[in-house]
Amino acid sequence: MTDHWHQPLRHIKGATLTGDTSQTSGMTRLEAISGKTVGSSKVWMGETHVAPATNSGDHHHGEAETAIYVKEGHPVFVFADGDREVRLETGPGDYVFVPPYVPHREENPGDEPAVVIIARSSQEGIVVNLPSLWPDQDRS
């Protein structure tokens, strides 16, 4: 009999991560922990690879809170604060928190790949691609 106290732990090997998730241009998202992979009901976790000298498209993650741990490289996280574009320059060991619905993008201006580990408060990898960081206003 399986109950809350007697469920098995699940081991996901890094070499078995799947790219069968929503993608944003300039990035490759790999899914590790999700409703699809382990039956998770509240958490999504995986990693994202951003190639050198590239950036993601502008996007948000819906109602999900997102926590990011920088594993490799020096990615830059860009978001809008009113009319101002803010750039958070990061390195290995840094953490970034992205609140729900906040438009942002990841950039990798360097010459080495960037790899980040992502955890979200949703069982699936929600990605809503946007035309800009200011989706409600024309910034052209």
Side-chain angles (χ1 to χ4, degrees), residues 53-64:
T54 191
N55 62 280
S56 73
D58 297 330
H59 62 282
H60 70 73
H61 301 290
E63 64 189 22

Side-chain angles (χ1 to χ4, degrees), residues 34-53:
S34 71
K36 289 187 288 186
T37 62
V38 300
S40 172
S41 63
K42 297 180 182 173
V43 173
W44 184 96
M45 189 171 189
E47 63 184 55
T48 300
H49 296 243
V50 183

Side-chain angles (χ1 to χ4, degrees), residues 22-123:
S22 297
Q23 300 291 328
T24 299
S25 63
M27 304 170 71
T28 302
R29 284 193 185 86
L30 300 173
E31 185 172 45
I33 307 296
S34 71
K36 289 187 288 186
T37 62
V38 300
S40 172
S41 63
K42 297 180 182 173
V43 173
W44 184 96
M45 189 171 189
E47 63 184 55
T48 300
H49 296 243
V50 183
T54 191
N55 62 280
S56 73
D58 297 330
H59 62 282
H60 70 73
H61 301 290
E63 64 189 22
E65 293 181 331
T66 303
I68 300 168
Y69 171 74
V70 179
K71 181 178 173 183
E72 298 175 17
H74 295 332
V76 177
F77 297 86
V78 183
F79 66 99
D81 184 9
D83 287 341
R84 183 173 69 103
E85 185 177 282
V86 178
R87 302 173 60 79
L88 303 176
E89 297 182 8
T90 67
D94 289 352
Y95 292 83
V96 174
F97 174 70
V98 181
Y101 298 104
V102 173
H104 63 282
R105 74 174 169 268
E106 289 86 13
E107 297 181 354
N108 185 6
D111 57 2
E112 62 183 332
V115 178
V116 298
I117 306 301
I118 297 175
R120 289 203 192 107
S121 63
S122 165
Q123 75 274 13

